[in-house]
Amino acid sequence: MTPHINAKKEDIAKTVLMPGDPLRAKFIAETFLENVKLVNEIRNMYMYTGTYQNKPITIAGSGMGCPSIGIYSYELFKFYDVDNIIRIGSAGSYDAALKVYDIVNVMGAYGENNFAEIVAGVNDKVLQASQDIFETIEEVAQAAKIKTYPGIVHSSDVFYRKNADDWKKIKAEYNAVCVEMESFALFANALALNKKAATLLTISDSFISGEVTSATERQNNFHQMVELALQSAIKL
């Protein structure tokens, strides 16, 4: 147990899927897993373990932002011996080619903070996803005829900005195709602890077209991404 997770060590699977919203974790676990058990509810950050095609999988909420996922993913890797974490979340598109509900298989994450320097001792502004998980996701997607968009994600520390056009400079400098708030910290923890991490994102809104989805739509309609993550997880 840790200050933030009260699960027994044996109740956490070796592979964890991490949505940001704990209620989304609940929905995913109850919809897709069998033999589901609630294993953590401290701070209402729900974590569930069950089986998917007979393989143990944990679905764990991460909260919003690098500090939150930084705590939970570090503790899962370090104290619960988790080997693989796949973040499954939503993102805002920076690219006209990325439409609402398109799926991004993240190649790397650009971070606007010094999280990686502090936790892993590296100064890189872009951290890569674990290559073997990335490739597994691509192979599963291709077999299932699911279109994915590999790309760099902007892991932002700020949701409400004074300069609303900052994203244009970040897109140009780092070739970022979309924005979210967590992947950079997840990848830094994996690097620091010699673990594996990847991110799948469904586009929930577009900086180009202005199209948006509701929280309910994001919770209930991202099935294809979740199924892709689960099918990839059982191959790890």
Side-chain angles (χ1 to χ4, degrees):
M1 296 183 182
T2 74
H4 311 99
I5 304 173
N6 64 354
K8 296 177 181 177
K9 192 171 183 179
E10 61 268 21
D11 285 341
I12 301 291
K14 292 296 185 181
T15 296
V16 175
L17 271 54
M18 294 196 84
D21 184 351
L23 290 179
R24 196 175 303 162
K26 180 178 187 292
F27 175 83
I28 292 167
E30 293 178 348
T31 302
F32 293 94
L33 301 186
E34 296 181 340
N35 307 309
V36 175
K37 177 182 179 182
L38 176 64
V39 296
N40 182 71
E41 52 187 336
I42 293 180
R43 294 175 177 258
N44 290 331
M45 192 57 73
Y46 303 132
M47 300 182 184
Y48 297 84
T49 296
T51 57
Y52 183 79
Q53 296 186 13
N54 298 317
K55 180 166 182 173
I57 299 288
T58 295
I59 313 292
S62 72
M64 291 188 289
C66 283
S68 186
I69 197 172
I71 290 170
Y72 290 108
S73 62
Y74 190 96
E75 292 183 0
L76 288 168
F77 280 143
K78 177 74 172 180
F79 304 112
Y80 285 87
D81 293 339
V82 168
D83 293 328
N84 314 292
I85 295 178
I86 302 176
R87 165 165 153 67
I88 46 176
S90 58
S93 172
Y94 285 172
D95 195 307
L98 276 178
K99 310 297 185 183
V100 168
Y101 296 125
D102 283 344
I103 298 173
V104 177
N105 186 10
V106 172
M107 299 169 61
Y110 158 65
E112 284 185 293
N113 56 54
N114 59 350
F115 190 101
E117 182 179 3
I118 294 170
V119 75
V122 299
N123 295 314
D124 298 347
K125 287 294 186 181
V126 177
L127 299 181
Q128 302 301 312
S130 299
Q131 188 65 24
D132 54 349
I133 302 184
F134 174 86
E135 291 177 354
T136 296
I137 292 170
E138 287 295 287
E139 291 168 3
V140 171
Q142 185 176 10
K145 295 182 169 54
I146 297 173
K147 174 66 175 175
T148 61
Y149 295 80
I152 301 296
V153 66
H154 169 205
S155 286
S156 176
D157 272 358
V158 180
F159 193 86
Y160 299 105
R161 291 175 177 267
K162 181 178 181 180
N163 184 355
D165 287 333
D166 280 350
W167 69 272
K168 296 178 181 178
K169 295 182 292 184
I170 293 167
K171 171 179 167 54
E173 184 172 358
Y174 294 97
N175 199 28
V177 299
C178 61
V179 59
E180 47 88 89
M181 303 186 76
E182 290 83 27
S183 294
F184 187 72
L186 173 61
F187 294 175
N189 282 343
L191 182 64
L193 297 171
N194 196 29
K195 302 288 188 169
K196 297 178 182 179
T199 294
L200 276 171
L201 301 168
T202 297
I203 299 300
S204 60
D205 58 279
S206 172
F207 283 67
I208 307 296
S209 69
E211 189 177 6
V212 299
T213 60
S214 70
T216 300
E217 288 172 328
R218 289 195 293 275
Q219 177 169 299
N220 295 329
N221 294 331
F222 288 3
H223 282 210
Q224 191 174 61
M225 173 184 65
V226 174
E227 290 172 347
L228 176 56
L230 286 166
Q231 288 290 335
S232 301
I234 62 176
K235 293 181 177 294
L236 300 177

